[in-house]
Amino acid sequence: MTGNASITLPIHRAEVDGVTLPFGAMLSAVRPGADGLLLALAAQVEQVDPWPTITAPTA
């Protein structure tokens, strides 16, 4: 809506009422042209807590 760059990141999983659900964060740039900054931030988050290493819920 604003035209600013945005990115969503899967962060973790949480149990809510007995159901395991994924949750994430959405980040948006304040100034135009900050796409690179958002991608760099996403890469840093991925290095600290990579999504694929978080195990999927079991049935």
Side-chain angles (χ1 to χ4, degrees), residues 16-41:
V16 178
D17 296 329
V19 178
T20 303
L21 301 170
F23 67 92
M26 180 177 174
L27 306 172
S28 295
V30 176
R31 63 182 186 271
D35 305 32
L37 177 63
L38 288 175
L39 291 172
L41 178 59

Side-chain angles (χ1 to χ4, degrees), residues 1-55:
M1 294 283 182
T2 65
N4 294 352
S6 296
I7 192 167
T8 58
L9 304 169
I11 302 295
H12 209 59
R13 286 181 169 43
E15 188 170 324
V16 178
D17 296 329
V19 178
T20 303
L21 301 170
F23 67 92
M26 180 177 174
L27 306 172
S28 295
V30 176
R31 63 182 186 271
D35 305 32
L37 177 63
L38 288 175
L39 291 172
L41 178 59
Q44 289 178 1
V45 170
E46 181 68 19
Q47 284 180 343
V48 172
D49 190 13
W51 178 251
T53 63
I54 301 169
T55 58

